[in-house]
Amino acid sequence: MGRGDGTEYEVHGGDGTGADCVHAGASDARLAELLRGETPTAYPALRELRSRHQPALLDYARLCAAGESAARQLAAAAFSLAARHAARGTDSGGPWRHQLLVLAGRSRPSGRPTNGPPGSTPACCWY
């Protein structure tokens, strides 16, 4: 499993074989920079970031969600938001995995209150 710092990874590429590891050796910071480029460069960088961080993000989302479908939606929303911030150059510049987990923890369905009654679940557990 990748540590999020660009040093070690198990799975690369959309099919899990590592066959399309165009950016396998690049750091997360470099991949985030590539997201600001043209689509032929940005898309492989996005796929590499997803292959590195999606499993951990989904595991965290499962802790915050009531079910698998909600967890997948939460993870997808957090990843999309992080990618948009990186593409626009408005990301924090910090570790990619940390950004994803923070975004997932802050996400909530629209129309839900930000604070629950005393004794309720933590803020991330809205799904």
Side-chain angles (χ1 to χ4, degrees):
M1 175 69 59
R3 297 187 322 202
D5 61 0
T7 58
E8 62 181 66
Y9 309 100
E10 285 180 1
V11 177
H12 300 285
D15 61 3
T17 65
D20 54 13
C21 300
V22 175
H23 300 297
S27 69
D28 286 356
R30 175 66 181 138
L31 294 171
E33 288 175 22
L34 291 172
L35 292 179
R36 295 181 195 100
E38 298 295 322
T39 301
T41 303
Y43 187 69
L46 182 64
R47 286 178 50 163
E48 179 64 24
L49 284 166
R50 187 177 303 277
S51 73
R52 291 179 187 182
H53 301 295
Q54 188 70 16
L57 177 59
L58 187 55
D59 285 346
Y60 181 71
R62 286 180 179 125
L63 295 174
C64 297
E68 185 66 19
S69 177
R72 289 185 181 281
Q73 289 176 9
L74 177 59
F79 198 92
S80 294
L81 186 57
R84 278 196 305 268
H85 284 302
R88 293 177 184 152
T90 59
D91 57 325
S92 68
W96 188 258
R97 171 113 12 119
H98 180 259
Q99 291 179 53
L100 289 168
L101 298 180
V102 167
L103 287 170
R106 289 181 179 165
S107 296
R108 63 184 175 82
S110 60
R112 293 283 182 107
T114 55
N115 295 314
S120 66
T121 58
C124 76
C125 300
W126 291 112
Y127 293 84

